[in-house]
Amino acid sequence: MGQNREEFEAVRNADLELAEIGWRLSVANAPLCDRLEPGMGFQLHTLDQFDTASRDAAREHFGFATPVAVEGVLAGSPVARAGIRRDDSLVRVGPIVIASMPGKPGTTQRLVATQLAIAALAPDAPIEVEAIRAGAPIKVTVSPVPACRSRFELRLAGDYNASADGTMVQISARFLETYTDEQVAGAVAHEFSHNILHHRDRLEARGVDFGMLSGFGANVKYFRQTEIQADLLSVYLLANAGYSPRASIAFWKSFGPSKAGGIFRSRSHPHWRDRVATLEAEVAKIEAISARPMIPGLIAERNQPLSGDWQSLLIRHK
């Protein structure tokens, strides 16, 4: 049982590390986003995400009284100010009754359905929350803040995968183990930029092939355009959230030499040295600007079709 406790707390801490980065980026950059959600400041989890062997231990450790509970609360967040605590089990969030959320047992479907339902609520209207704490019912009112609509999910894997699908940013736990907080924020900001710029929708509108085929034919120019755009926007997101905009540069200098290779990936993604050169030029433009938030011109283009013009965005490494 002791080993389970250590593992549960290690996962909780990692989840909250990513949640803190996502929170800072999504709240500070709300003025850049046209899809908003109520920023609450808690990390949720579900008993269903634990395998059969550890489910009973998880129920005891986290005190699950309902299918979805509060894994952690971010300091100074709206839910923290309202009095929500970690391990509170949710009964209702505004009009959302947790027990009525759809989901297949043994999956995260109910958790995702709950997160999406909360995200669809008004971004700045008070939300009444009912929960169970140590067997007793509680009721509080949360005053959320507008936040960019995106979920941040930690992938428990030993690889170095990061992705964005338009509604979610997912990053492998290995990043948190290997890189500094600011470097991880740089990687997250890049993926988050894809969501803010509606890249998934715009790529699909162009009829591109994803996966291995992304590095062939007409796909290449569109993927390279979105990659460079996400790099450029990421430095603004970082600066607006109080991170050093050079965090992206530090990440690519560390990640690029050993992990950004592969013949297929190199066709659809610019070379890491060129990415660093492009980032350095963009950071040089903004370091003297003190006004926040900074809103780059890329934001005004996010509803336009992708042109495939990546060459004009990229600065080659010399």
Side-chain angles (χ1 to χ4, degrees):
M1 186 66 183
Q3 183 177 0
N4 275 331
R5 288 195 185 97
E6 292 178 2
E7 292 173 353
F8 292 152
E9 288 306 310
V11 171
R12 190 202 307 257
N13 290 337
D15 278 344
L16 288 177
E17 186 177 344
L18 177 58
E20 174 67 28
I21 293 170
W23 171 255
R24 285 179 63 175
L25 291 171
S26 59
V27 172
N29 289 289
L32 282 67
C33 295
D34 60 350
R35 299 169 181 172
L36 297 173
E37 65 178 39
M40 304 284 277
F42 52 23
Q43 181 71 11
L44 304 181
H45 63 168
T46 177
L47 189 59
D48 280 329
Q49 72 192 61
F50 297 93
D51 60 33
T52 304
S54 61
R55 197 165 296 154
D56 286 342
R59 180 186 287 107
E60 180 180 348
H61 181 78
F62 295 111
F64 278 100
T66 67
V68 176
V70 178
E71 183 181 19
V73 171
L74 301 178
S77 66
V79 291
R81 292 195 296 270
I84 292 291
R85 301 177 189 170
R86 75 178 196 171
D87 296 338
D88 286 348
S89 295
L90 296 180
V91 175
R92 181 175 63 85
V93 179
I96 303 160
V97 178
I98 302 302
S100 68
M101 288 290 99
K104 183 179 179 181
T107 73
T108 59
Q109 291 174 358
R110 195 197 306 264
L111 173 63
V112 172
T114 300
Q115 292 170 326
L116 292 176
I118 294 173
L121 299 176
D124 54 2
I127 299 173
E128 190 173 78
V129 176
E130 294 180 11
I132 296 174
R133 177 183 298 162
I138 64 168
K139 182 187 293 186
V140 301
T141 298
V142 179
S143 298
V145 295
C148 298
R149 187 180 298 188
S150 189
R151 296 184 294 118
F152 296 87
E153 180 177 283
L154 187 68
R155 182 170 176 266
L156 297 179
D159 54 27
Y160 289 97
N161 282 331
S163 62
D165 66 2
T167 62
M168 177 181 68
V169 170
Q170 186 182 73
I171 188 167
S172 296
R174 191 71 179 274
F175 283 94
L176 277 64
E177 298 167 358
T178 308
Y179 300 101
T180 67
D181 286 350
E182 286 226 330
Q183 289 171 348
V184 173
V188 172
H190 170 87
E191 298 300 337
F192 190 26
S193 294
H194 285 306
N195 288 352
I196 293 175
L197 293 173
H198 305 171
H199 278 159
R200 185 79 184 195
D201 293 342
R202 294 162 74 191
L203 286 167
E204 289 177 349
R206 281 297 186 188
V208 304
D209 291 309
F210 292 87
M212 288 183 64
L213 294 178
S214 65
F216 295 91
N219 299 311
V220 173
K221 62 183 179 181
Y222 297 122
F223 279 104
R224 285 198 170 190
Q225 183 184 7
T226 60
E227 285 300 308
I228 301 168
Q229 284 185 346
D231 282 347
L232 293 171
L233 180 57
S234 71
V235 298
Y236 292 88
L237 301 187
L238 290 166
N240 288 340
Y243 292 105
S244 168
R246 293 190 171 272
S248 285
I249 297 171
F251 170 75
W252 280 109
K253 284 184 174 180
S254 180
F255 180 82
S258 61
K259 303 180 184 70
I263 185 170
F264 297 127
R265 184 172 182 83
S266 65
R267 289 174 64 92
S268 60
H269 291 60
H271 193 279
W272 71 268
R273 287 190 178 91
D274 293 338
R275 301 179 84 147
V276 167
T278 303
L279 286 165
E280 286 177 335
E282 198 68 19
V283 169
K285 295 178 186 177
I286 69 175
E287 282 188 323
I289 302 173
S290 59
R292 298 290 185 272
M294 292 182 287
I295 304 177
L298 282 170
I299 294 298
E301 303 172 12
R302 66 174 154 216
N303 293 315
Q304 298 175 12
L306 292 169
S307 67
D309 175 18
W310 59 271
Q311 294 93 336
S312 66
L313 300 175
L314 189 69
I315 294 176
R316 300 287 187 180
H317 169 74
K318 297 179 181 179

